C-alpha cells in the first residue's frame, strides 16, 4: 500500500504554532552559532514563502532552491548545508501537528494484515529523514517499509517517477499495490494509470460527487476492510 500524508494521515494544513518561527530561528542558529539572529529570522521567512514547483508533477530540486535563498541572503552553502537547513526548519510533527482521526489505527491494521506500507508524499522542504522521525514519534515507524517524498525523488506527484520510486522501495508489483490518498489528481488518477488499486479518502471535506477511485471512504478505519475486499 502506498500512503499519502497530507489530508490522509495528517491534516493537509500545518497546525499553526505561535512559537514556531522562533523555534526555527533557534534551530538554524544551532547549525551555525555565528549566524545573526535577525538574518536567521529573514531566512526562516524566506523559506516559509517557498511554494510547490509548477505545473503539477513538475521536477523539484529543493537543495538548489535553498542554495539560491542562502545566496540571496549573502550566505554560503558551504557554511550552511542546504540539507541541514531544510531539516532544521521542518519542525517535528509530534506535539504540534496531530494525526487525523483513525490514521494510527488504519496504519496498524494494514501492517497487521501483512501489507507493506510505503509513504509517498509531495512536500516543500520535508524529506524522508524528517518523516521517519515523525512516524517514530507517533509509534508507527515499524509499520512502514519505506518513505519517499518529492524532495527525495526530485519529482512531484502525479509524475510517474515518484510512484516508480515508491514501488521500488516497496518491492511489490503495481498490480498488487493500492494507493490511499485524498487527491483525485495527485493520488488516484496516476495510481490507476499505473495499474494500482485506488482508494480515495474524504476526511477533511465531503466526498466528491464522482471519483475514478475503486473506493471512496469517509473514515480511515474503513480502509483495511476495503483493501481486504479488493
Amino acid at each position: 500500500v502506498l500512503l499519502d500524508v497530507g489530508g490522509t494521515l495528517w491534516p493537509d494544513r500545518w497546525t499553526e504554532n505561535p512559537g514556531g518561527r522562533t523555534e526555527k530561528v533557534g534551530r538554524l542558529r544551532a547549525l551555525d552559532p555565528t549566524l545573526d539572529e535577525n538574518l536567521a529570522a529573514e531566512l526562516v521567512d524566506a523559506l516559509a514563502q517557498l511554494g510547490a514547483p509548477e505545473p503539477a508533477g513538475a521536477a523539484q530540486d529543493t537543495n538548489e532552491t535553498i542554495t539560491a535563498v542562502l545566496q540571496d541572503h549573502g550566505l554560503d552553502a558551504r557554511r550552511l548545508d542546504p540539507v541541514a537547513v531544510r531539516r532544521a526548519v521542518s519542525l517535528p510533527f509530534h506535539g504540534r501537528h496531530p494525526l487525523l482521526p483513525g490514521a494510527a489505527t488504519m496504519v496498524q491494521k494494514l501492517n497487521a494484515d501483512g501489507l507493506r506500507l510505503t509513504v509517498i508524499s509531495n512536500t516543500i522542504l520535508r524529506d524522508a529523514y524528517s518523516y521517519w522521525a515523525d512516524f517514530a514519534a507517533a509509534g508507527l515507524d515499524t509499520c512502514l517499509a519505506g518513505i519517499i517524498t518529492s524532495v527525495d525523488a526530485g519529482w512531484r506527484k502525479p509524475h510517474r517517477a515518484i510512484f516508480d520510486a515508491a514501488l521500488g522501495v516497496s518491492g511489490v508489483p503495481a498490480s498488487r499495490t493500492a494507493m490511499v490518498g485524498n487527491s483525485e489528481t495527485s493520488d488516484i488518477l496516476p495510481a490507476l494509470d499505473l495499474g494500482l488499486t485506488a482508494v480515495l479518502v474524504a476526511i477533511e471535506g465531503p466526498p466528491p460527487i464522482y471519483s475514478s477511485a475503486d473506493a471512496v471512504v469517509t473514515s480511515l478505519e474503513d480502509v483495511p476492510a476495503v483493501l481486504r475486499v479488493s
Side-chain angles (χ1 to χ4, degrees), residues 117-143:
L117 309 180
T118 301
V119 167
I120 175 172
S121 178
N122 277 350
T123 61
I124 303 299
L125 298 170
R126 207 173 211 86
D127 60 7
Y129 177 91
S130 297
Y131 265 152
W132 275 116
D134 296 324
F135 279 91
L140 299 174
D141 56 318
T142 57
C143 296

Side-chain angles (χ1 to χ4, degrees), residues 32-47:
D32 181 359
T34 67
L35 182 63
D36 177 76
E37 184 173 357
N38 290 331
L39 181 55
E42 290 177 12
L43 187 57
V44 166
D45 292 340
L47 293 173

Side-chain angles (χ1 to χ4, degrees), residues 152-209:
D152 306 298
W155 291 92
R156 296 180 65 79
K157 295 184 293 182
H159 198 281
R160 175 170 182 155
I162 188 172
F163 284 88
D164 285 341
L167 290 169
V169 168
S170 173
V172 179
S175 60
R176 295 175 54 203
T177 300
M179 175 73 216
V180 178
N182 73 315
S183 171
E184 186 81 10
T185 55
S186 294
D187 300 319
I188 303 306
L189 294 180
L192 292 173
D193 285 343
L194 288 171
L196 281 68
T197 298
V199 179
L200 180 72
V201 299
I203 307 301
E204 295 191 300
I209 296 174

Side-chain angles (χ1 to χ4, degrees), residues 12 19 53 58 61 68 98 147 162 178 223:
D12 208 17
D61 191 337
I147 299 175
I162 188 172
V223 173

